[in-house]
């Protein structure tokens, strides 16, 4: 049986490298145009070439998003863009629009095509239709149960792959076909410019009392009426795979490198444990603890087991839970001296306890015994963003090993 793919977001070149090194089988990313994450760092053409080379050297794949719903003026640049991304060897194009599909087939006939969740594929007849048009993989709408996914898989050709989101932020408009941002902020979510008005706080105003605002709520708990919990299916790997999901997708091109690496590593370990012994597989709750160490909202299983209800919304706040800080990433390591060269990401202090997370294996805990700056001077604090710091390591580390600590604001 072919193993399910673990697919990770890559908002920039560093995130791509982190995703690959921490266990992703493939990454999806956006160029500077035609992607639904216009406010991510995204990839220049040179970065895209470097990213494809890095991933392919590690035996991993790269999928590029072209999943906007284009207007007429968007169509002018698309053919040349398709030729460019095809020339550097991306493994697939993710799209949602039939016009872009026809242009990909014309400009890059050998390119693998994946249908975006934006296309709202919710049934097997639709999946068959897209497969007949040349689509290799359908990324299913978020509003499907495991039973519905299983039925789609059973009623479509074996050559059609099924991808589903398993972790990350949930859109109140399910598959993302939303006009609220366009209306409220003049930013078209279907062209990559969503202002996330679903996370805003709303009040009710009566037309003859323009200065009187009344809170809008379903009960006394709060007023964030559109604010969904984040999706988390790490505890349900067997159910996903047995339903026919062939690619498990993590949301988060706007998230940090720390988020990408931590979540990917946890899902990688869960997947590997399942395939090592499917008959006696038991989920390790430690892995859920790991995904909780990155910035997140309270979790839900979305539509997979039943339709979300009031308990799947967060009414009181739109803030994230942040229990851990990402404080540094290893750039170099000398095995002889056991000294690591660290790029600082948040303030670090001599004497504080940190967790050291390698791409593979368990993390270890140590105290920062001493630190030196780039001039070799002893320092008690590393206060400057991305400053270079030298410190001893209790155990061996490698490039892109992460340093994290429990957030002082949560103690």
């Amino acid at each position: 049986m072919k193993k399910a793919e673990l697919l990770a977001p890559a908002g920039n070149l560093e995130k791509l490298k982190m995703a690959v090194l921490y266990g992703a089988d493939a990454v999806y990313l956006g160029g500077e145009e035609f992607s639904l994450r216009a406010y991510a760092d995204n990839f220049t053409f040179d970065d895209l070439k470097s990213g494809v080379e890095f991933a392919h050297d590690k035996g991993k794949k790269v999928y590029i998003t072209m999943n906007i719903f284009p207007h007429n003026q968007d169509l002018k640049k698309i053919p040349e863009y398709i030729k460019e991304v095809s020339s550097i060897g991306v493994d697939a194009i993710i799209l949602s629009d039939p016009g872009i599909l026809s242009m990909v087939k014309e400009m890059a006939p050998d390119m693998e095509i994946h249908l975006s969740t934006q296309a709202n594929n919710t049934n097997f007849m639709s999946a068959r239709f897209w497969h007949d048009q040349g689509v290799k993989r359908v990324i299913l709408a978020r509003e499907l149960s495991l039973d519905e996914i299983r039925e789609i898989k059973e009623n479509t050709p074996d050559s059609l792959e099924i991808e589903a989101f398993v972790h990350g932020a949930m859109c109140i408009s399910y598959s993302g076909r939303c006009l609220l941002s366009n209306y409220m902020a003049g930013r078209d979510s279907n062209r990559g410019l969503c202002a996330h008005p679903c996370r805003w706080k709303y009040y009710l105003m009566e037309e003859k009392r323009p200065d009187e605002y009344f809170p809008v709520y379903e009960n006394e708990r709060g007023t964030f009426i559109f604010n969904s919990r984040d999706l988390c299916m790490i505890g349900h790997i067997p159910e996903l795979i047995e339903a026919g999901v062939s690619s498990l997708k993590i949301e988060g091109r706007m998230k940090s490198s720390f988020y990408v690496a931590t979540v990917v590593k946890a899902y990688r370990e869960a997947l590997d444990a399942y395939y090592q012994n499917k008959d006696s597989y038991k989920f390790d709750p430690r892995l859920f603890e790991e995904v909780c160490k990155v910035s997140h909202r309270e979790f839900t299983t979305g539509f997979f087991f039943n339709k979300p209800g009031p308990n799947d919304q967060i009414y009181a706040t739109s803030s994230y839970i942040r229990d851990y800080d990402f404080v540094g990433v290893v750039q170099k390591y000398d095995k002889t001296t056991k000294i690591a060269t660290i790029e600082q990401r948040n303030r670090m202090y001599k004497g504080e306890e940190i967790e050291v997370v390698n791409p593979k294996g368990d993390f270890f805990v140590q105290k920062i015994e001493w630190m030196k700056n780039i001039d070799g001077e002893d320092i008690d604090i590393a206060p400057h963003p991305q400053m270079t710091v030298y410190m001893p390591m209790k155990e061996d580390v490698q490039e892109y090993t992460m340093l994290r600590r429990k957030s002082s604001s949560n103690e």
Side-chain angles (χ1 to χ4, degrees), residues 160-187:
L160 179 65
E161 298 175 355
I162 300 296
E163 179 179 310
F165 281 94
V166 299
H167 193 95
M170 293 281 283
C171 180
I172 195 68
S173 295
Y174 305 159
S175 293
R177 292 290 292 270
C178 179
L179 298 176
L180 190 60
S181 176
N182 209 341
Y183 179 77
M184 301 283 287
R187 287 165 46 176

Side-chain angles (χ1 to χ4, degrees), residues 141-149 170-175 228 231 233 300-309 312:
R142 285 176 171 89
E143 56 269 30
L144 291 176
S145 68
L146 285 169
D147 288 339
E148 289 175 301
I149 293 172
M170 293 281 283
C171 180
I172 195 68
S173 295
Y174 305 159
S175 293
S228 173
L231 178 65
M233 286 291 286
T300 175
T301 55
F303 290 79
F304 283 110
F305 296 101
N306 46 49
K307 289 186 177 181
D312 296 284

Side-chain angles (χ1 to χ4, degrees), residues 27 123 293 325:
V27 297
N123 64 78
K293 289 182 178 180
D325 296 324

Side-chain angles (χ1 to χ4, degrees), residues 28 32 87 92 140 170-171 193 216 247 274 309 329 339 376 394 402:
Y28 65 100
E32 294 181 302
S87 70
L140 294 177
M170 293 281 283
C171 180
L193 302 171
V216 179
S247 180
Y274 169 75
V329 60
I339 304 300
K394 186 171 77 173
M402 299 185 299

Side-chain angles (χ1 to χ4, degrees), residues 232-267:
C232 179
M233 286 291 286
I234 195 168
H236 303 283
I237 297 296
E239 295 97 316
L240 288 163
I241 294 172
E242 289 161 14
V245 177
S246 49
S247 180
L248 280 61
K249 187 171 194 172
I250 297 167
E251 183 273 340
R253 278 188 284 152
M254 301 285 286
K255 301 291 179 66
S256 68
S257 298
F258 174 53
Y259 174 96
V260 171
T262 303
V263 174
V264 166
K265 180 175 164 63
Y267 273 84

Side-chain angles (χ1 to χ4, degrees), residues 95-286:
L95 52 80
S96 54
D97 180 73
I100 295 181
L101 171 62
S102 65
M103 285 189 276
V104 171
K105 290 168 70 175
E106 179 182 350
M107 302 296 167
D110 296 326
M111 177 63 68
E112 188 170 301
I113 298 172
H114 297 178
L115 185 74
S116 171
T117 189
Q118 292 295 114
N120 297 83
N121 200 121
T122 57
N123 64 78
F124 59 79
M125 287 301 293
S126 177
R128 284 184 197 170
F129 168 82
W130 287 110
H131 188 49
D132 289 343
Q133 308 312 308
V135 169
K136 173 74 180 296
R137 176 185 296 184
V138 169
I139 306 167
L140 294 177
R142 285 176 171 89
E143 56 269 30
L144 291 176
S145 68
L146 285 169
D147 288 339
E148 289 175 301
I149 293 172
R150 186 178 294 107
E151 188 174 3
I152 289 171
K153 184 62 179 175
E154 290 171 351
N155 288 278
T156 52
D158 291 339
S159 54
L160 179 65
E161 298 175 355
I162 300 296
E163 179 179 310
F165 281 94
V166 299
H167 193 95
M170 293 281 283
C171 180
I172 195 68
S173 295
Y174 305 159
S175 293
R177 292 290 292 270
C178 179
L179 298 176
L180 190 60
S181 176
N182 209 341
Y183 179 77
M184 301 283 287
R187 287 165 46 176
D188 191 344
S189 58
N190 297 310
R191 297 169 81 189
L193 302 171
C194 186
H196 304 288
C198 55
R199 308 291 181 187
W200 298 352
K201 196 172 189 176
Y202 289 90
Y203 292 89
L204 180 68
M205 185 184 73
E206 198 272 328
E207 69 171 322
K208 294 183 180 178
R209 299 175 183 174
D211 296 321
E212 294 185 41
Y213 298 93
F214 302 93
V216 179
Y217 50 76
E218 294 193 11
N219 58 28
E220 68 281 356
R221 287 186 294 165
T223 61
F224 292 89
I225 56 174
F226 299 134
N227 192 40
S228 173
R229 294 179 181 231
D230 284 355
L231 178 65
C232 179
M233 286 291 286
I234 195 168
H236 303 283
I237 297 296
E239 295 97 316
L240 288 163
I241 294 172
E242 289 161 14
V245 177
S246 49
S247 180
L248 280 61
K249 187 171 194 172
I250 297 167
E251 183 273 340
R253 278 188 284 152
M254 301 285 286
K255 301 291 179 66
S256 68
S257 298
F258 174 53
Y259 174 96
V260 171
T262 303
V263 174
V264 166
K265 180 175 164 63
Y267 273 84
R268 176 79 276 150
E269 292 183 15
L271 271 169
D272 288 348
Y274 169 75
Y275 281 113
Q276 283 169 9
N277 201 336
K278 288 185 283 186
D279 294 334
S280 60
Y281 171 76
K282 283 188 176 181
F283 174 66
D284 184 351
R286 178 185 60 84

Side-chain angles (χ1 to χ4, degrees), residues 330 332-334 337-342 348 354-358 364 366-370 390-398 401-403:
V330 174
K332 295 178 184 178
Y333 177 67
D334 187 323
T337 63
K338 289 189 174 291
I339 304 300
T341 304
I342 309 293
M348 292 183 286
I354 57 173
E355 294 180 0
V356 183
V357 187
N358 281 313
F364 63 89
Q366 72 167 53
K367 282 191 174 181
I368 300 177
E369 296 177 8
W370 53 260
Y390 304 97
M391 71 172 65
M393 289 287 119
K394 186 171 77 173
E395 299 178 20
D396 286 341
V397 295
Q398 55 195 275
T401 289
M402 299 185 299
L403 312 183

